[in-house]
């Protein structure tokens, strides 16, 4: 054990990502949270915003502009896309490891970013060094990275579902994949809106962003790196009346000979020694992973239709955001990769 | 207006279908509920089982065995499959119109029934006269029928989504359709079980019956009649943490030239003069139809992937069960088809 | 039956009260909705705001300022308090019957209003003619009224719970009553806020307005008229993770001899011939009345502690708002009092 | 730090208490779970029952009858009342510390137990040594105890709310207290029943056990020890549509001079150095403590009515069961009392 803990700054306190980072890091054995920033709430206590931290994290929030980052080891950016890139730029020479939880550096180029995010990118050089922070695919690159782009929540569930098939030599049709995904409302953020009003969500369910959600391109890119072809797949998000969790149901025709046994073996092999992917023997539910960093993946072979159906479940705020970010931090700091991430899923 | 109301019997009081039939029929202007049966609760009042009917329907429940059906005009069978066929058989000579809400006579033959329901069929002759009670497809046959097999809830949402495309001359691949469907818990019935325990459903979500749900064959058969080919499609049900409602997201490649405008026109044309199908211009949510007999259908054309994505929403207990049954009754009795079915959806 | 239906205007379309009025009135046999107003949404269709009315109420919204009220019979004001008084004033000479669903004229004087609502009252003369629109207490006055102040949701549940005891000659201590009330989120209105954000409500529960909620004085006044003494009681509201419904648990010591039988008899007697109050023999749940105009009341005598505990349940949007308003309209127009209000509670 | 961890047995795996004990103990730095028992599921894996433990606790369940307790340090009994007493009796001579989470030894005598639990007590001698395991009241006795009776969930929330007032010298009327409590459905256990069916709970709310709930006597006894008088108070439980959490709203008249400041000071003083009671400055919600061992208590003084209103919130499965049990274990073993109990509440 080190004598000295790593010094951590959380940039952006007001959202769910910020509060989840604090929830995890406060019990991490080798980190100290030394600063949390907020522009709109500076001067307040962190626990004034997030009452659950009363008596646990009562630290005063400071403006990011006034933050002296000297001596910090890691910065987590829990900011909206478009805002995050400015802070990456600001601290690019500081030598501090940065984990960006926004979408600003997840794609392969600023050009593609500008098409799907409909926004100019003000720090295109960042793409040269940013590493896509999915440990199951890119652990070696993450270990050496100074800037990690933490994956989106839907892409995490979707890519983990399909990666083994896209890396296989099965000759699948990469454009044939359909991902029908369902997310809890925290995916829409902490801000009050018609979308997040209780009575519009409770006892309700709907699809949104049909054919146009920007996570589509993030999924396509990562899968295209695996299959070494362009990918043009279907991704449809839906809004569940739950707080947390994503469940993705993915469909892919397989023309070559396949069986349940072969499919299981392929998935078990792909995720061997990946501590947070659990290959299940039955369809997981989102409470099986709630509050934890696990991704539960269930591959099913339908011999009647020659389709693989993959069900995956994650907590969008943990494996889909703050937990995966801490996993990335562990890799970047050379720590044991699951350190501080042993929370058991909370069911019920 | 008739002076004399039609005399109605509801066979099976204890489930949600029975209580929804009573909710609708009690305010129908041309029906009197004269008997409600229950084997396990005979002697109790209907409102003892369903407290919301206190002071509204306090009628005593009787055993179906002791029911004198003389003088009745319509019998609704709100019974489990396997049980329902016995009562259809019992009353086959009575001349009374029967609407069976179970799955016992929905398929094209007893042989197919026995494969998917894993149960012997004890009244195979019933298939000769039973009419599949989906008014949007079979109104003329329903008007003349003595025995109507009321469609399943998932099939109602699924068939209404895809019927226009399967009847079109677009040369679609009938085996390419994928229906990813999500249902409220009432679809699992009123019986207490691990499946229906609050803490297993609340804040949760899961898939079930993957590749094997028996509604698959019902959907396939009805669509095959339209496309005049066999159909081998994918149907995946999921369990939503809501009481009522089904939302189905259906995917189908279209190789011929298509556009949003053409697709809209095709759907509007197909459902012209169908009072309960509303073609929407945006994706419906399940509360848009809750408590009502409407089916909201939103056809979307994704030019990037050449796929039609159809979203449909129904209340599984109304359009997917009791409401559609009353619609069938109206047709069988020669009444205006929407009579008694003008409930406005309850949102919030 | 009249040949001519009554002509109705709904002032204020965007909230839940407006949409519930439309849900009820559209199926009322003697009313036509001829105008619905909205300042912020004028020009849009009513069904653009409330998608469930698609194809049912597609009427264009107009500004109240441009509304020609000539020929209208009844105006429902579904407006925030403070705004409503201006419209009552504007139309005071029109002769049109007005039912105000805000809190502007519920109290006994403008002075008390100003204390509890912390706002000047700009039409104090309105208090001279306004009748408190609780049909169970004031039916005769309502029949003759031109201006009815529709009761608040909490007061409806609370007053109906305690009225029989406060009118009795039991010598109860009027300051000893404690009302612990729990409401669904629709009581907080349709506006998006931290309070109504799904993740702050779902799987959650809290008290609010402790010791200071303005419905306290409304309850106190109505009960003081019955007991003919001043009343200074305790009222604590709580926020339930449900859309609709109020359940109030009220406590009152009774020093005189009492029994369950006597208590039941007192309540049955008090509410004899009141079509919407159901005296129950077991504690009601809020779904027993959801979507309906019923108030379910369960009086319980605890001989161990000498306390009456009264449980009441209403739908805050129906009996606590739009339904009670239509009940008042029926009385004001000389119609059968339950006309158009026969919706069966929706459970599940 | 010890080299050797304490060896723990969990008796009763199938319920929520068993799974919560495992969730906490698996990350406790000084315990090893060495055996988990189940009669109905012996031979299965723990994670077969509770899927969230997949890959975390896959230990095989054994019958308690076949359990060799030699070498164990602590036994947690997560069994129904009536069953638990048999195991306490069986292991009374073993020398192993026992924490009983049932109601079997919480009351002051077998006679009172038999009145309220309507059941014979088969091990009355147990009452001689059992200590009521509420660390905030009885820490010294718990440290020396061999048998701890872990408090009920409602009593934990209720007693923590009222203890400072009952121990004060304010001359309160002990029979005047009213506790209006609301609990999540997990309080009703994991067993499927009408009570726990999703559609009977979701979007619903009701009172139950009015005037007769057996937690009443447990609360009364503990408060009577503080006030040194008999206590005959009112306790009314309600069922919330949430998984976890209890919120209790307690009312008590105070005739002596009081103020908000005095009340706050009294509560802060009473709970000084109690690591899991947080005196809040605003009313807590149940998500402020969800998943954690905190009890949040908010004392409010209503000068208008001369009443103290106390709001308390706990997680019924943690502070109200498994967490408090581990707290007791820490005390019994001489460990730091908050060890292994630093879970941050999970909001959202």
């Amino acid at each position: 054990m080190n004598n000295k803990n790593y010094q951590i700054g959380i940039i952006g306190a007001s959202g769910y990502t910020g509060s989840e980072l604090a929830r995890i890091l406060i019990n991490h054995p080798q980190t100290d949270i030394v600063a949390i920033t907020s522009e709109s709430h500076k001067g307040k206590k962190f626990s004034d915003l997030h009452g659950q931290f009363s008596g646990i994290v009562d630290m005063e929030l400071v403006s990011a502009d006034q933050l002296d980052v000297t001596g910090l080891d890691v910065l987590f950016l829990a900011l909206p896309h478009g805002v995050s890139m400015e802070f990456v730029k600001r601290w690019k020479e500081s030598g501090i490891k940065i984990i960006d939880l926004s979408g600003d550096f997840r794609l392969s180029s600023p050009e593609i970013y500008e098409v799907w995010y409909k926004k100019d990118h003000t720090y295109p050089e960042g793409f040269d060094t940013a590493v896509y922070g999915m440990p199951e695919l890119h652990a070696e690159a993450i270990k050496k990275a100074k800037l990690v782009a933490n994956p989106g929540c839907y892409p995490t569930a979707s890519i983990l579902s399909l990666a083994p098939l896209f890396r296989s030599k099965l000759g699948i049709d990469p454009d044939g994949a359909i991902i029908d995904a369902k997310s809890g409302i925290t995916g829409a953020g902490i801000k009050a809106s018609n979308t997040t009003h209780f009575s519009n969500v409770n006892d309700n369910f709907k699809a949104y962003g049909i054919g146009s959600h920007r996570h589509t391109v993030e999924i396509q890119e990562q899968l295209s790196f695996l299959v070494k072809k362009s990918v043009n797949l279907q991704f449809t998000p839906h809004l569940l009346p739950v707080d947390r969790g994503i469940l993705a149901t993915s469909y892919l025709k397989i023309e070559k000979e396949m069986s349940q046994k072969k499919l299981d073996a392929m998935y078990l092999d792909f995720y061997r020694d990946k501590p947070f992917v659990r290959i299940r023997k039955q369809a997981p539910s989102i409470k099986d992973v709630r509050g934890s960093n696990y991704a539960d993946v269930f591959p099913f072979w339908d011999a009647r239709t020659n389709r693989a159906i993959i069900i995956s479940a994650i907590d969008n705020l943990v494996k889909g955001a703050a937990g995966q970010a801490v996993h990335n931090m562990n890799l970047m700091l050379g720590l044991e990769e699951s350190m501080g991430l042993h929370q058991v899923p909370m069911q019920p």
Side-chain angles (χ1 to χ4, degrees), chain A:
Chain A
M1 194 186 281
N2 276 329
N3 278 333
K4 182 188 155 293
N5 277 342
Y6 293 100
Q7 306 295 294
I8 309 294
I10 298 174
I11 312 304
S14 56
Y16 294 131
T17 313
S19 73
E20 283 294 283
L21 284 166
R23 182 172 76 89
I24 295 169
L25 291 170
I26 201 72
N27 284 325
H28 189 287
Q30 301 223 4
T31 60
D32 293 331
I33 304 172
V34 294
I36 311 181
T37 78
S38 170
E39 304 315 300
S40 43
H41 299 285
K42 62 188 169 201
K44 288 189 200 165
K45 292 193 287 181
F46 185 65
S47 54
D48 291 338
L49 265 69
H50 304 288
Q52 72 270 29
F53 285 95
S54 188
I56 305 171
V57 183
D58 293 322
M59 185 182 299
E60 188 181 314
L61 302 172
V62 297
S63 165
D65 291 333
Q66 289 153 358
L67 182 67
D68 178 5
V69 298
T70 318
L72 295 195
D73 296 296
V74 181
L75 288 166
F76 289 92
L77 308 191
L79 298 168
H81 68 265
V83 177
S84 210
M85 58 177 86
E86 297 298 333
F87 285 90
V88 171
K89 194 170 164 186
R90 176 184 303 189
W91 289 316
K92 66 182 168 176
E93 307 292 356
S94 69
I96 303 172
K97 295 173 202 298
I98 295 179
I99 299 167
D100 176 19
L101 287 93
S102 85
D104 282 352
F105 298 95
R106 290 177 191 156
L107 301 180
S108 59
S109 77
E111 291 73 26
I112 293 175
Y113 178 91
E114 292 180 355
V115 170
W116 284 82
Y117 283 73
K118 301 186 193 321
K119 186 177 286 252
D120 289 343
H121 203 294
T122 60
Y123 183 50
E125 300 80 0
F127 288 85
D128 300 339
T129 55
V131 172
Y132 190 72
M134 184 170 282
E136 289 79 9
L137 297 184
H138 305 298
E140 292 313 309
I142 293 164
K143 286 178 188 172
K144 296 173 210 143
K146 299 299 270 182
L147 171 60
V148 161
N150 212 58
C153 51
Y154 281 125
T156 299
S158 303
I159 296 164
L160 292 174
S161 289
L162 291 172
L165 285 165
F166 274 68
R167 209 205 47 182
S168 75
K169 308 294 180 196
L170 285 170
I172 52 134
D173 171 12
D175 297 350
I178 292 177
I179 303 164
D180 192 282
K182 303 87 176 175
S183 172
I185 188 69
T186 51
I190 205 167
K191 217 179 146 191
S193 69
N194 282 343
T195 298
T196 61
H197 191 296
F198 181 80
S199 290
N200 292 337
V201 179
N202 179 51
D203 245 21
N204 210 356
F205 184 67
K206 66 173 181 184
Y208 68 100
I210 307 168
S212 64
H213 194 284
R214 61 170 71 111
H215 280 172
T216 309
V217 65
E218 186 179 335
I219 300 165
Q220 290 185 157
E221 284 199 343
Q222 291 296 318
L223 293 177
S224 75
F225 301 152
L226 291 165
V227 77
K228 298 182 173 34
K229 280 189 208 169
S230 80
V231 173
N232 199 39
L233 54 68
Q234 195 77 49
F235 169 70
T236 311
H238 299 72
L239 184 56
L240 285 168
V242 309
D243 284 323
R244 299 167 175 248
I246 286 176
L247 192 134
T249 309
S250 301
Y251 301 89
L252 189 63
K253 276 263 183 199
I254 299 179
E255 300 303 343
K256 295 227 177 140
E257 207 188 310
M258 182 46 70
S259 68
Q260 185 65 48
K261 204 172 153 186
K262 274 192 190 177
L263 194 66
D264 283 342
M266 179 192 302
Y267 273 75
L268 284 166
D269 184 59
F270 192 92
Y271 291 114
R272 190 178 314 284
D273 300 325
K274 308 298 182 206
F276 296 113
V277 177
R278 305 191 293 193
I279 304 303
R280 302 288 302 270
K281 300 218 159 155
Q282 55 183 13
S285 66
I286 61 176
K287 262 177 168 175
D288 282 353
V289 297
R290 187 171 61 159
S292 83
N293 200 46
Y294 293 103
D296 281 12
V297 177
F298 171 65
F300 177 85
W301 173 244
D302 191 343
R304 189 179 63 86
T305 61
N306 287 323
R307 273 200 198 85
I309 304 176
I310 319 297
I311 313 282
S312 67
I314 63 165
D315 183 320
N316 58 309
L317 298 180
V318 187
K319 181 63 179 168
Q324 189 156 232
V326 172
H327 191 174
N328 282 319
M329 179 198 76
N330 287 341
L331 291 171
M332 293 164 89
L333 294 175
L335 300 171
E336 200 283 314
E337 66 177 318
S338 64
M339 186 177 284
L341 291 167
H342 295 288
Q343 297 83 4
V344 177
M346 199 168 96
Q347 148 78 305

